[in-house]
Amino acid sequence: GTDQWQHLTAGLPENVEVRTIAIHPRDPQVVYIGTQNGPYRSADGGEQWERLPFPDQGGVVWTIVFHPQNPQILYLGTAPPAIYRSENSGESWQRLPIVATAGTVRMGFPMRVIRLAIDPYDGNHIYAALEVGGVIRSRDGGNTWRDCTPALLTLAERPHLRSQLGSDTTVEGMMDAHAVAISATQPENVFLANRMGLFRSVDQGESWQELEIWRFSPFAYGRDIQTDPVDPNTLYTALSPAAMSQAGSIYRSQDLGETWQRFDHHVTPRRTMMSVAVSRQDTRCVYGVNSIGQVFGTRDGGATWNEF
């Protein structure tokens, strides 16, 4: 709650790069992180870390999520792209057989499972966002997966949704997924943030529609999208001009993505906005962070903002 930060390094290698943080939903002292050296866990709020046994020595961990009904079950996504499941709080991991996606793009970096999202009422229903690989879905706890990219490739035929920066195809931008989120009370509604903007599926990824964020924001590069834990109609997104930019913003929708308004104000993000987080205990508390470590937050539902 203050602008004082403590560096938590005990038990971590000197050159650690943390890609994701996951806090246990029932015990906030238990924290998992994903690094270029695999997953680590702390039982005391980050004071001491231990490396968990992990079968992929070369995998960079980008995302970790808990099963909503049984937090002993965790899912983890890596680069190169793989998804693992643990049923014993991370003591052992099973690699799951994910499906190759249509439209996968070859870039100068390995494709990665950058975000996992689980239906809060049905832990068997999981989505994975793949950076330069689109979206895949499982309905059986990760045992089998289905490709959700064909409809994204159809959208990529539209001139304003074409983008080619480091590959040989203009579908690159639509495959450049960054975040996926599921509506808390309407799980058939799935939301995607990617290089080209924000998108919604009303049929669990079978089809996608553009939310046309450019009608409301000068920035359309979508880096994160989150659903409000309490209000099913409210969404938050992190927007910027590009991956490497001098500006960023947080926008909010209160009608399931139909319209958007800028949510942050009287603060000055100086780089691309990377992430947005909503408190599960008090949804008036919303925070965002950009690529140079500026942290912004409101504790009164957006009325006032501060940089931390």
Side-chain angles (χ1 to χ4, degrees), residues 105-155:
V105 178
R106 290 187 179 274
M107 297 283 284
F109 58 86
M111 185 171 67
R112 47 201 175 217
V113 180
I114 195 167
R115 180 70 61 84
L116 291 165
I118 302 183
D119 184 335
Y121 297 104
D122 183 355
N124 287 319
H125 201 179
I126 310 168
Y127 291 84
L130 284 69
E131 192 161 14
V132 296
V135 181
I136 59 176
R137 178 193 74 206
S138 174
R139 288 180 173 170
D140 56 11
N143 293 324
T144 61
W145 294 82
R146 178 180 175 88
D147 184 10
C148 296
T149 61
L152 293 174
L153 293 172
T154 299
L155 287 173

Side-chain angles (χ1 to χ4, degrees), residues 39 52-55 74-76 84-86 90-95:
L52 295 171
F54 191 58
L74 297 95
Y75 293 87
L76 176 157
Y84 293 82
R85 180 177 62 212
S86 173
E91 295 299 325
S92 63
W93 299 86
Q94 174 191 359
R95 182 167 177 165

Side-chain angles (χ1 to χ4, degrees), residues 190-209:
V190 184
F191 301 91
L192 171 68
N194 68 15
R195 184 195 303 175
M196 308 312 296
L198 306 178
F199 302 84
R200 176 176 63 201
S201 174
V202 297
D203 52 14
Q204 302 179 338
E206 294 296 322
S207 64
W208 296 91
Q209 62 187 88

Side-chain angles (χ1 to χ4, degrees), residues 53-71:
F54 191 58
D56 186 354
Q57 296 299 317
V60 180
V61 178
W62 281 86
T63 178
I64 301 172
V65 294
F66 290 92
H67 188 288
Q69 285 78 45
N70 182 0

Side-chain angles (χ1 to χ4, degrees), residues 199-244:
F199 302 84
R200 176 176 63 201
S201 174
V202 297
D203 52 14
Q204 302 179 338
E206 294 296 322
S207 64
W208 296 91
Q209 62 187 88
E210 185 187 7
L211 293 179
E212 299 180 341
I213 188 62
W214 42 262
R215 292 189 295 136
F216 310 99
S217 167
F219 308 147
Y221 175 85
R223 192 69 207 190
D224 195 7
I225 190 164
Q226 297 284 347
T227 57
D228 188 289
V230 174
D231 182 355
N233 294 311
T234 297
L235 307 170
Y236 298 89
T237 187
L239 299 173
S240 296
M244 303 289 288

Side-chain angles (χ1 to χ4, degrees), residues 245-260:
S245 71
Q246 307 299 311
S249 58
I250 298 173
Y251 273 71
R252 178 177 68 179
S253 172
Q254 295 178 293
D255 53 14
L256 217 60
E258 293 296 327
T259 61
W260 296 83

